[in-house]
Amino acid sequence: KQWYQRRVRVSQFINTPNKLIINPYNSFEACDLTVFNDQLGMSIWGKGGRKRVTSKDYHDIVKTCDPELFVSLSDVVPSTVNKKRANKSCYRTLQWVNEAITFLSDSDHVTSRVLAPIPGSGDRQLTMKSASLLATRDVFGYVIERATLPLVGWEDLVKDVVSILPPTRPVFMLGVLNELEMVKAYNCGCHFVDSTFVLHYANKGRAMLPCCPTSKNTVDETKQTPNSSEHSSNANGKSSVSSTTAAEETSSSDFGPSLAENVPTNPAPVEGENIFKPEHYIPNPSRSLDLISPEYTRQFTPLVEGCGCFTCARHTRGYLSHLLVTHELLAPTLLMLHNLAHVRNVVQETRRSVEAGELGQHEERLRRVFEGQSGDNGMENDKQQSESKSM
């Protein structure tokens, strides 16, 4: 008891006292490895193989780390399972949610709150029934797991689920595939969306390309770089950026740089194959740069022209390519800084669209960009049309 009174929260331990720490229970990369889940617990997959984690094991971890929020255990199954297995998934998940609620009520030194995952494996009837049952539970909020939904056409189901949940409780969607699905989740009524897909881009050596207006806050970071007339590279692969103002940089291309790279478009799902699979977390080749490729070895330019993130302001494509080829730990860190800055721009533009009542138009613009129907010029035309209407 004295140790629990002296301990600090995990957010303080990792020096992020003002950040909200959420403890998920599993990596969605192993979302199809569900045949080993049983009534006692679920299987966690890591580098050491499979390990069964019971409710007691998981609650001990929560008790030790004491995160602000934690997701209750869930028997995650994809939409490929049969009706009987889907029913078992719902029963087990509801049972584990009840055990998490009991754990919090019996613990005197745990201040965490529980998030209840909504099972159903994409089946509308099961998902709606599970949501209606969980709506009466004493939980902080709810989690909709992208891995349990079909590959496409999941938006109507999510909207219906959110509509029957208490409006005063937040809804999280975990495991979205890209920026477009982030905006779709917001448009369906979800309040929070994770950005774990950014980590997969970084770990695979990919730098994300912009699809939204360049944030002025991000561009302002370039003022911290040394002055020069143009991008230059030194022996360490670092680049310096000209000290232009944020207004000058954004006026040249309000919606980011022109994507001149000859990259293949992301193929659309084949009819009859609307099944969510783990390989769909592979980064989109048409929306990212594969810096492991030899073509970037001697490119001494920023990852994305006009981007003012820490990585683009100080390092080049060639330097990042060198770090990736030599397996330096600094490579995914620098790519994470760039990719997170890109996602932040998407979220900021989404917030502006919500305030202006144009979230639907914002989603449509992103959809056209991801489908390759419209590049920056098309997005710029949409912006000019909206401005002319406002005038």
Side-chain angles (χ1 to χ4, degrees), residues 45-344:
W45 295 83
K47 294 182 179 180
R50 179 173 63 92
K51 177 180 175 57
R52 173 186 288 173
V53 176
T54 65
S55 291
K56 183 180 183 304
D57 297 332
Y58 183 59
H59 296 159
D60 288 341
I61 297 174
V62 173
K63 192 174 183 180
T64 302
C65 299
D66 196 16
E68 282 77 4
L69 300 173
F70 72 96
V71 183
S72 172
L73 288 181
S74 172
D75 186 14
V76 181
V77 292
S79 57
T80 56
V81 299
N82 55 36
K83 192 80 170 183
K84 182 178 179 180
R85 181 65 181 88
N87 277 309
K88 282 186 178 180
S89 168
C90 296
Y91 174 78
R92 291 172 181 171
T93 302
L94 292 174
Q95 176 185 353
W96 290 335
V97 170
N98 292 334
E99 292 176 0
I101 296 174
T102 303
F103 156 71
L104 292 178
S105 61
D106 296 341
S107 301
D108 298 332
H109 309 290
V110 177
T111 59
S112 302
R113 301 295 301 275
V114 63
L115 299 174
I118 299 177
S121 69
D123 182 88
R124 175 173 293 273
Q125 181 180 0
L126 288 177
T127 304
M128 296 298 291
K129 181 179 179 180
S130 300
S132 61
L133 292 174
L134 290 172
T136 61
R137 299 298 197 275
D138 183 19
V139 295
F140 179 82
Y142 306 93
V143 169
I144 300 176
E145 303 195 51
R146 180 65 182 89
T148 64
L149 301 175
L151 180 60
V152 295
W154 50 268
E155 294 87 345
D156 292 337
L157 176 59
V158 174
K159 288 180 181 179
D160 294 340
V161 169
V162 173
S163 65
I164 66 176
L165 297 176
T168 57
R169 297 177 182 177
V171 179
F172 297 74
M173 177 172 280
L174 303 182
V176 293
L177 297 176
N178 50 49
E179 310 91 291
L180 177 59
E181 289 202 345
M182 288 180 63
V183 178
K184 285 183 177 181
Y186 290 133
N187 205 7
C188 291
C190 297
H191 305 94
F192 298 92
V193 180
D194 76 327
S195 57
T196 315
F197 66 93
V198 177
L199 177 63
H200 293 274
Y201 276 80
N203 287 338
K204 295 181 182 296
R206 288 187 172 271
M208 302 175 69
L209 295 174
C211 57
C212 282
T214 304
S215 172
K216 293 183 179 180
N217 293 334
T218 304
V219 175
D220 285 341
E221 295 177 6
T222 60
K223 294 182 179 181
Q224 302 175 3
T225 60
N227 296 335
S228 64
S229 57
E230 58 183 4
H231 282 284
S232 60
S233 176
N234 57 23
N236 294 328
K238 299 183 179 180
S239 64
S240 56
V241 188
S242 58
S243 58
T244 55
T245 62
E248 291 172 347
E249 297 213 11
T250 54
S251 62
S252 61
S253 177
D254 286 343
F255 287 87
S258 175
L259 307 181
E261 290 79 6
N262 295 323
V263 290
T265 58
N266 196 32
V270 180
E271 185 177 358
E273 295 186 357
N274 183 20
I275 299 173
F276 192 96
K277 299 178 181 179
E279 53 263 31
H280 293 136
Y281 287 107
I282 298 176
N284 190 336
S286 64
R287 302 302 313 160
S288 61
L289 301 177
D290 184 10
L291 295 174
I292 302 179
S293 176
E295 63 180 299
Y296 299 107
T297 303
R298 296 185 177 277
Q299 292 189 12
F300 302 107
T301 58
L303 298 179
V304 175
E305 293 286 351
C307 177
C309 71
F310 178 91
T311 303
C312 290
R314 293 164 174 81
H315 303 287
T316 65
R317 294 180 177 183
Y319 180 59
L320 267 295
S321 178
H322 162 73
L323 293 179
L324 289 167
V325 171
T326 55
H327 303 286
E328 291 286 348
L329 296 178
L330 182 60
T333 301
L334 293 176
L335 286 176
M336 274 293 294
L337 292 175
H338 167 79
N339 293 343
L340 284 176
H342 161 73
V343 172
R344 186 185 68 174

